[in-house]
Amino acid sequence: RVARPRPFRTTSWESEATVALPQELLNQRCDKCSARALILCQLPFGELYFCMHHYNEHSVALTNKGGVAKLLK
């Protein structure tokens, strides 16, 4: 059985999907696990980095708290 990739959830980051960042930010790790961070979530109280798995798990709560997610390229 082949796993199909799930589509991204629609969030507030769709209009500015990717941001150009310095190389040191691209080497960030997920704040929940040791995977490479693909999402930078800017919240009113700071920033969090997430892999796609953990972002999908917490995306509703993050956007409800005023978070703006950006896809790291």
Side-chain angles (χ1 to χ4, degrees):
R1 179 174 149 155
V2 176
R4 294 183 191 160
R6 294 188 319 179
F8 294 134
R9 294 183 182 178
T10 55
T11 62
S12 59
W13 59 273
E14 283 187 334
S15 61
E16 42 184 275
T18 57
V19 286
L21 295 173
Q23 188 63 35
E24 59 270 8
L25 288 180
L26 295 177
N27 294 329
Q28 289 291 332
R29 296 292 171 183
C30 176
D31 289 331
K32 298 284 284 181
C33 68
S34 62
R36 181 177 172 261
L38 295 175
I39 302 290
L40 165 62
C41 188
Q42 296 173 325
L43 296 158
F45 52 84
E47 296 178 340
L48 293 172
Y49 292 90
F50 289 104
C51 63
M52 192 56 72
H53 165 80
H54 283 113
Y55 175 72
N56 285 336
E57 185 177 325
H58 301 290
S59 63
V60 174
L62 291 168
T63 53
N64 287 343
K65 293 181 191 260
V68 176
K70 296 186 179 183
L71 183 64
L72 301 174
K73 188 173 186 181

